[in-house]
Amino acid sequence: MEIDLFSVITEWLPYLLGGVVVTVGLVASALIIGACLGLPMAIGQVYGSRPVKYVIGLYVWFFRGLPVLVLLFMFYFTIFPLLDPNIDAFVVGAVVLGLRGAAYQSQIFRGAIQSISEGQMTAARSLGMSRVMAIRTIIIPQAVRIALPGWSNEYPNILTDSAICYAIGVAELLTRTSQIVAQTYITMPIYLLCALMFILLNLAGMRVIAYLEKRVAIPGFSGGSHTGIV
Amino acid sequence: MSFEAAPFIDFCINTLFPALADGLLITVLLVLITAPFGLAFGVLLAVGRVYGKSYSHWFCRLFVGFVKGCPLMLLLFILYFGLPTIPYVGITLDAFTASVIGFICCNSAYNSEYVRGAILSVKEGQLVAASALGMTKRQAIMYIVLPQALRRAIPGLSNEFIYLIKYSSLAYMITLVELTGAGKLVFSKYFEPGVFFVVGIVYLALITVTTVGANALEKKYAVPGTQKR
């Protein structure tokens, strides 16, 4: 088999890079959905009434207990067709990864909120703040910063999980990789190229998150150990 | 889409449950074969990373980095579709073997992170004390560090075991019909919308039972006084 590997790769590289864009879009929307739902859920789980806690607990149990693949099939073949028969697979993938991420992220945020001592809440209340105001201005700004190291672990998890969207045909990196393999009959080099891209995405994302962590850090606050926070 | 309970229950009993039972068996086999190897290699990788000389240290680091960085699905594709195409050495694996190997790689890489953290949490003075008592480094690691570290790693390891149950569903992507695959095949044939919910319930049951078992295990192997807190 005489195929010029280099020319094949240069020919297909733009297509593969398009997959990188889709993957990044998938991961970014999943992270954003996850954070937007996860933080309120964490607050609900710590400060909410009993039924609220129960419902959120059930949600977390459901989404953490099921494999991504089953969730994707469930939403793609059963739940979303009820809403809109022509739903785009990308939307399903992003929503499923986001809802699942929310379950995980809520636990990260919950741990962070619980690590802030109750005395702060009491102090805020004694200063005349309402509970909502205390949560919004005292608890959340600290909790989000404490949660960042744990939250940064969410990124590689969602990145690797995003590849599972291959199963419902989202044109992300892995899907395009297997399309190229099917077209060119070049297998290992293309797979390894795909692996390299995932690893680079992973490293690049972690860099961005590390930068973010530094940006929002308050001097003298946080920094690795959370034991200093009283 | 109309939904009636009685025909669905009939459908479950006659068609779905037998198919899912076969799939469940494969899933359980996958998990039970993978887990011991995943644990053993995980401990080896962790020891290699903490105590290894340059070669083994870097090999372990690279292996863990690669497996954690690339999606498990891609790893399975490489093992199942990629390996047979390598000229001269082409290794053809059947779907079950390829899945087990892929899961062992993934499971051991993640396990090694927990074990590594646990090893690092054992005070270094203990190694010094052990060598002062005339133990070799190997003996000290085997009899002093690991028995403590493994106990501390149990919560993480059982967490990873639960992940393994969930990730075993990916074997379907390389044509192995396990629990998810069985559900998908039944769905593709009958287009019964409830199928994936039944599959989901089976997974939730599996995972809930495992969680209870893991908590019991953790309590049983906790040595009084060796907890972190």
Side-chain angles (χ1 to χ4, degrees), chain A residues 61 64-66 74 78 104 161, chain B residues 163 166-167 193 196 200 207-208:
Chain A
W61 175 74
R64 293 215 306 183
L66 288 187
M74 199 184 271
T78 312
Y104 281 95
D161 283 347
Chain B
Y163 271 106
K166 292 190 274 176
Y167 280 120
F196 291 118
I207 279 156
T208 308

Side-chain angles (χ1 to χ4, degrees), chain B residues 63-79:
Chain B
F63 178 81
V64 173
F66 179 79
V67 173
K68 284 184 71 180
C70 98
L72 177 55
M73 219 144 76
L74 180 61
L75 194 63
L76 293 180
F77 282 1
I78 290 175
L79 288 169

Side-chain angles (χ1 to χ4, degrees), chain A residues 61-70 73-74 77-79 81-82 100 104 157 159-161 163-167 174 177-178 187-188 191-192 194-195 198-199 202, chain B residues 1 65-66 68-74 77-78 81-83 85-86 110 163 165-167 169-170 172-173 180 184 187 193-194 196-197 199-201 203-204 207-208:
Chain A
W61 175 74
F62 180 81
F63 275 96
R64 293 215 306 183
L66 288 187
V68 191
L69 191 60
V70 174
F73 283 161
M74 199 184 271
F77 292 118
T78 312
I79 295 177
L82 293 174
R100 197 179 112 90
Y104 281 95
N157 288 345
L159 179 66
T160 44
D161 283 347
I164 303 174
C165 292
Y166 162 87
L174 187 60
T177 302
S178 27
T187 313
M188 269 320 235
Y191 279 149
L192 291 179
C194 175
F198 268 110
I199 289 168
N202 197 339
Chain B
M1 230 183 277
F66 179 79
K68 284 184 71 180
C70 98
L72 177 55
M73 219 144 76
L74 180 61
F77 282 1
I78 290 175
F81 299 120
L83 283 189
T85 64
I86 299 177
Y110 281 93
Y163 271 106
I165 297 175
K166 292 190 274 176
Y167 280 120
S169 63
L170 295 185
Y172 173 57
M173 291 288 109
T180 310
K184 177 72 168 61
F187 179 82
F196 291 118
F197 291 95
V199 172
I201 290 168
Y203 272 110
L204 285 174
I207 279 156
T208 308

Side-chain angles (χ1 to χ4, degrees), chain B residues 12 14 20 27 43 51 54 79 85 87 95-96 104 113 116 127 131 139 149 158 163 181 185-186 190 210 224 226:
Chain B
C12 280
N14 294 329
L20 289 191
T27 294
V43 172
Y51 300 112
S54 59
L79 288 169
T85 64
F96 189 85
I104 288 174
E113 292 283 13
R116 176 172 164 266
L127 267 186
S131 72
Q139 280 175 324
S158 53
Y163 271 106
L185 291 184
V186 171
Y190 300 97
T210 313
T226 57

Side-chain angles (χ1 to χ4, degrees), chain A residues 12-23 173 176 197:
Chain A
W12 286 96
L13 198 59
Y15 187 66
L16 209 54
L17 288 176
V20 171
V21 174
V22 178
T23 293
L173 196 46
R176 295 193 184 203
M197 282 181 171

